[in-house]
Amino acid sequence: MTKKNQIHADSVLGERLLSLLSGVEQVEFENFKMEIGDLELFIPVGIGGVPGFVLPEEPKRPTELFREGFSPAVESYPGSIREVTLGATKKDGGSRGSTITIGGSTTPAFSNPALPPKNRTAISMDVFDMAVALPKTLKAAVLDVMDDPAEWARMNVNTFGADCVTVHLMSTDPLIQDRSPQQAANIVEEVLQAVDVPLIIGGCGDPKKDAAVFTEVAERAAGERLLLNSVTLDMAEAKTLEGVAKAAHDNGHLLLAFTGLELNSAKELNRRLYEYLPPEEIVMDLTTVALGYGLEYSFTIHERARHAALMGDTELQHPTISASTNAWAAREAWMTMEPEYSPKEIRGPIWETVNSLTLLLAGVDIFMMMHPSAVRTMQDVRSWMMQQEITVPQAPDWVRTRC
């Protein structure tokens, strides 16, 4: 039989089998044997009709953006951040024209536009009691007042709109000028007379000298509710922490508890301070690292502290402060690096701004800043983010955009 005849016979046989099996749902074979080479299965789609089967339609190309609303979930937490008030008016025993209250948050920072922080983030601008080495970009704005801390403070308030002023008593450092606590207190009194905003008083970093300076300043400025910046675990080891804490509490001041990027150390320092003054008189400094040198770790530490506090950790339920001026410690903020980078007159303020904005999102309550442009940007962003209803600009219609 030729190949052509064989194909015809197979076709006839197949038709007969289909005719015999018409209407049959099941076939049972006995002693059946079949030799198959390459087996091909073919399931007809749309041929002869398959009950209930519909070919899917080809997806249509979108012609516009999907319009979808967003309603942030309202979350509640068992804990909250304590409120702390800086400065005291005349009726409270001080001489300040206004006070600043920080803290009070009950949710993570800016997690819900409908639940902004209870109190506005505060901005303090730096003043030094001696000539210090500053980048030219920073020095340009304050060159005329650098030799007069009182005038420097007045300019920060009247010209740049600072909420408060930080007075750094660097001249008391035993390795620099070693000025006496009495001389340091005289400078604080001059600044108190020059401005009527709350003050933050910074030391030189020597645990024994700072203790003596803070004690003298606390007594001379009794009732002004200063924030003494800062007390550390080194003071505890030097056995000077108790004296500073008692002097601050007895004279109506606040303490800034400084630790280096380690929450267990922050909790330990706070526990020691609770022995001498109530928690409402403590602010935490968890350390700010410059952009490019570990800022992301500072953000993580601040965020962890805030979440732990909201979840009920009472030893971390304190407002926090950030020395965003530490951004100027980065050489990229002040070195001449043109034309690869932008001019340092622009780059430096941006470096400080990024530092402060980053930690603003982590929940920091008060910033110590220096460059007027960075301060102005923070003031604008702060006002915008405190709004309960934020208007977002219309997004471009990229679906219809043609290259």
Side-chain angles (χ1 to χ4, degrees):
M1 182 180 293
T2 64
K3 184 175 182 181
K4 183 176 181 180
N5 291 337
Q6 180 65 47
I7 293 174
H8 176 71
D10 291 344
S11 177
V12 172
L13 179 60
E15 290 179 358
R16 289 180 179 177
L17 285 173
L18 289 174
S19 177
L20 291 173
L21 295 174
S22 177
V24 177
E25 295 183 357
Q26 183 175 347
V27 178
E28 183 177 343
F29 294 95
E30 293 184 2
N31 300 321
F32 177 78
K33 182 179 180 182
M34 177 182 292
E35 294 183 2
I36 299 177
D38 295 332
L39 178 64
E40 294 184 6
L41 298 177
F42 174 72
I43 302 176
V45 177
I47 301 176
V50 177
F53 182 82
V54 179
L55 284 174
E57 295 183 3
E58 183 178 352
K60 295 180 179 180
R61 184 183 182 86
T63 58
E64 63 180 9
L65 293 174
F66 293 106
R67 305 297 174 184
E68 185 64 45
F70 172 70
S71 298
V74 178
E75 298 180 337
S76 60
Y77 294 83
S80 63
I81 307 303
R82 298 180 179 92
E83 289 186 294
V84 175
T85 299
L86 284 67
T89 59
K90 291 181 180 179
K91 68 176 183 178
D92 297 321
S95 63
R96 305 299 84 199
S98 60
T99 62
I100 296 173
T101 300
I102 57 176
S105 296
T106 57
T107 61
F110 306 107
S111 59
N112 189 335
L115 298 172
K118 182 178 180 180
N119 295 298
R120 189 179 70 166
T121 302
I123 298 174
S124 179
M125 293 189 70
D126 290 348
V127 166
F128 293 87
D129 71 336
M130 58 172 286
V132 292
L134 296 175
K136 290 182 179 179
T137 305
L138 277 178
K139 190 179 294 185
V142 298
L143 189 60
D144 296 336
V145 295
M146 286 189 66
D147 296 330
D148 190 336
E151 285 300 316
W152 193 345
R154 186 178 286 115
M155 184 179 69
N156 283 347
V157 175
N158 297 338
T159 304
F160 304 133
D163 301 316
C164 55
V165 171
T166 301
V167 183
H168 295 281
L169 301 172
M170 297 295 297
S171 66
T172 61
D173 192 322
L175 300 179
I176 301 179
Q177 295 185 16
D178 197 22
R179 284 183 179 174
S180 67
Q182 291 73 25
Q183 290 174 302
N186 291 340
I187 294 174
V188 173
E189 286 185 336
E190 292 175 4
V191 177
L192 283 169
Q193 294 174 6
V195 296
D196 65 352
V197 298
L199 298 186
I200 300 173
I201 306 301
C204 65
D206 182 279
K208 292 186 178 180
K209 188 60 176 289
D210 280 351
V213 169
F214 289 155
T215 300
E216 178 68 22
V217 169
E219 294 173 355
R220 292 269 291 273
E224 293 290 357
R225 204 166 178 83
L226 307 173
L227 176 59
L228 303 179
N229 174 19
S230 53
V231 293
T232 65
L233 287 173
D234 289 339
M235 285 186 171
E237 294 179 4
K239 298 182 180 180
T240 58
L241 181 64
E242 180 180 354
V244 175
K246 286 184 176 180
H249 179 61
D250 293 344
N251 293 282
H253 301 298
L254 311 171
L255 288 181
L256 181 59
F258 174 80
T259 50
L261 298 171
E262 215 287 306
L263 292 187
N264 287 328
S265 296
K267 289 160 66 75
E268 180 185 352
L269 179 55
N270 289 339
R271 284 195 298 269
R272 297 194 181 202
L273 292 176
Y274 295 157
E275 299 177 16
Y276 312 109
L277 71 170
E280 290 73 21
E281 297 177 3
I282 299 172
V283 178
M284 293 192 304
D285 185 343
L286 302 174
T287 300
T288 298
V289 186
L291 172 64
Y293 294 79
L295 174 59
E296 67 281 1
Y297 193 56
S298 286
F299 177 89
T300 300
I301 288 292
H302 282 86
E303 191 176 48
R304 284 173 54 200
R306 181 53 52 92
H307 279 273
L310 293 176
M311 293 305 295
D313 191 333
T314 58
E315 293 174 348
L316 293 173
Q317 290 175 342
H318 299 276
T320 54
I321 194 171
S322 166
S324 55
T325 44
N326 289 347
W328 294 91
R331 60 179 180 270
E332 291 84 353
W334 52 268
M335 283 183 64
T336 300
M337 303 174 70
E338 295 87 1
E340 293 84 0
Y341 293 83
S342 60
K344 58 186 177 182
E345 293 78 11
I346 299 175
R347 187 183 345 119
I350 290 176
W351 224 263
E352 184 177 356
T353 301
V354 171
N355 257 55
S356 55
L357 290 179
T358 299
L359 294 181
L360 176 67
L361 298 177
V364 167
D365 300 280
I366 182 169
F367 289 89
M368 293 186 289
M369 304 185 69
M370 196 162 186
H371 197 282
S373 296
V375 170
R376 192 177 306 114
T377 302
M378 271 292 290
Q379 290 168 338
D380 292 342
V381 173
R382 173 184 66 180
S383 299
W384 181 73
M385 295 189 71
M386 287 295 290
Q387 301 176 27
Q388 291 191 4
E389 294 184 4
I390 298 177
T391 302
V392 180
Q394 181 66 37
D397 190 355
W398 55 268
V399 173
R400 294 189 178 90
T401 301
R402 296 183 180 276
C403 297

